[in-house]
Amino acid sequence: MAHTNESMVSEFVLLGLSNSWELQLFFFAIFSVVYMTSVLGNIMIIVIVSSDSHLNSPMYFLLSNLSFIDICQSNFATPKMLVDFFVEHKTISFEGCMAQIFLLHSFVGSEMMLLVAMAYDRFIAICKPLHYSTILNRRLCIIFVFISWAVGILHSVSHLAFTVDLPFCGPNEVDSFFCDLPLVIELACMDTYEMEIMTLTNSGLISLSCFLALIISYTVILITVHHRSSSGSSKALSTVTAHITVVILFFGPCIYFYIWPFSRLSLDKFLSVFYTVCTPLLNPIIYSLRNEDVKSAMRKLRNRHVSFWKN
């Protein structure tokens, strides 16, 4: 359905997280720290993996790509949210709103697929260690990254193709700090039931498929590790535990949103904050700070810089 001049909404009003000035200052202080820590932490992972030859393995290649996606996810809405804490009338253009929807679903879809690729990497490393270097080569890793981005973008385009032509002819208040797709669809001047089902099916299929693939992979991995008793198995268990923690924290809010996608509670705003602002921080904290190889690479990089400045 094409827009007409009468039905076209030029901007949306974002209601944000709170109307309280004191709470907004508090949120600004907290989320500024989270945002800066997330971006710098993920940049640090990319730099460390790129500069240390000991981390030249498929797992760390995929990890650095995950960090890149997390940097992108940190920047699609959070900077505007931080600025809007000091703005009374929070608005976003129609084009900006559609861009946020496109970027969010691209990054989330890509991250889901990349988490599956990382699970496959651990599956081969633990269950078929003798064939690891043969199966998981750089070419396959690049293919994994390409597929993850392709799936994420196609997933997002399939949402946007239907959303951009909806008739928005009056209500334009989005009860969130960014353009959340279900909330935007509800503002359309038409019966959106079929659109809601289509959105739920689209997002639900990719989420459920990735989640089931991850559950199966990590179940097999944990069974394999359980039947071994060695220091290598202990290290593998630690790595897999970190992966599983990220999967649970990433897919938890996602599954909640798809179970009750169009019946929103006040809790949903804060789950949205966790999903968009805090999730990108999981990568540097869980994957890296518990990883001895990464911590060793960090120490070497720090010592290299200390030596450089001393000279």
Side-chain angles (χ1 to χ4, degrees):
M1 184 182 298
H3 288 299
T4 66
N5 290 333
E6 293 180 332
S7 67
M8 180 68 173
V9 167
S10 61
E11 66 178 19
F12 292 96
V13 177
L14 302 175
L15 299 184
L17 296 177
S18 172
N19 292 323
S20 167
W21 173 244
E22 291 78 10
L23 267 180
Q24 289 190 76
L25 285 178
F26 173 74
F27 289 148
F28 174 80
I30 296 297
F31 296 142
S32 294
V33 173
V34 173
Y35 170 70
M36 292 301 297
T37 305
S38 174
V39 172
L40 293 176
N42 282 294
I43 290 174
M44 180 186 67
I45 289 175
I46 294 173
V47 170
I48 289 172
V49 171
S50 302
S51 62
D52 195 306
S53 59
H54 293 95
L55 300 182
N56 186 25
S57 70
M59 183 179 81
Y60 294 111
F61 175 78
L62 295 174
L63 180 60
S64 62
N65 278 277
L66 183 67
S67 289
F68 178 74
I69 294 176
D70 283 337
I71 292 170
C72 294
Q73 189 172 329
S74 295
N75 285 284
F76 94 95
T78 306
K80 176 170 174 52
M81 178 188 72
L82 295 175
V83 171
D84 281 350
F85 282 132
F86 298 97
V87 177
E88 184 176 353
H89 192 60
K90 305 170 178 58
T91 61
I92 184 170
S93 67
F94 179 86
E95 293 77 12
C97 184
M98 294 302 110
Q100 281 194 344
I101 291 172
F102 172 77
L103 292 173
L104 173 63
H105 287 272
S106 293
F107 300 147
V108 171
S110 299
E111 184 154 346
M112 286 180 183
M113 294 301 296
L114 201 57
L115 288 172
V116 173
M118 294 177 73
Y120 179 72
D121 167 78
R122 291 300 84 201
F123 172 80
I124 298 298
I126 294 171
C127 300
K128 298 185 178 181
L130 298 179
H131 303 284
Y132 180 73
S133 58
T134 305
I135 299 174
L136 263 296
N137 51 45
R138 180 54 64 96
R139 180 174 172 272
L140 183 59
C141 290
I142 292 173
I143 291 173
F144 279 153
V145 172
F146 176 80
I147 291 174
S148 70
W149 278 104
V151 170
I153 291 172
L154 286 173
H155 165 67
S156 187
V157 168
S158 66
H159 279 310
L160 205 61
F162 297 100
T163 307
V164 73
D165 281 332
L166 288 174
F168 297 100
C169 56
N172 67 339
E173 290 187 344
V174 180
D175 191 15
S176 185
F177 62 94
F178 70 99
C179 283
D180 196 359
L181 179 60
L183 297 180
V184 173
I185 290 175
E186 287 180 345
L187 299 177
C189 301
M190 60 176 286
D191 183 2
T192 58
Y193 177 77
E194 290 183 4
M195 180 70 179
E196 292 170 7
I197 296 299
M198 199 181 308
T199 301
L200 177 61
T201 303
N202 185 346
S203 297
L205 278 177
I206 185 174
S207 303
L208 185 62
S209 300
C210 291
F211 188 65
L212 287 177
L214 289 165
I215 291 295
I216 293 169
S217 297
Y218 286 122
T219 300
V220 174
I221 290 171
L222 288 173
I223 292 172
T224 303
V225 171
H226 179 71
H227 289 300
R228 296 177 183 173
S229 56
S230 64
S231 57
S233 295
S234 176
K235 182 180 178 181
L237 182 61
S238 176
T239 303
V240 169
T241 302
H243 284 233
I244 293 173
T245 303
V246 169
V247 167
I248 291 171
L249 292 175
F250 182 84
F251 278 91
C254 188
I255 291 170
Y256 170 80
F257 288 140
Y258 294 142
I259 292 175
W260 295 284
F262 295 93
S263 177
R264 294 303 178 103
L265 306 171
S266 58
L267 172 67
D268 295 1
K269 279 189 182 183
F270 297 96
L271 281 176
S272 295
V273 170
F274 176 81
Y275 200 59
T276 57
V277 181
C278 302
T279 298
L281 188 60
L282 298 177
N283 187 8
I285 290 179
I286 297 177
Y287 277 129
S288 305
L289 296 183
R290 293 184 57 189
N291 188 302
E292 289 301 324
D293 293 333
V294 173
K295 287 193 284 188
S296 174
M298 287 173 61
R299 286 191 293 269
K300 284 193 287 186
L301 187 63
R302 182 192 60 196
N303 294 336
R304 196 184 310 162
H305 281 280
V306 170
S307 301
F308 173 80
W309 287 110
K310 282 184 178 180
N311 295 334

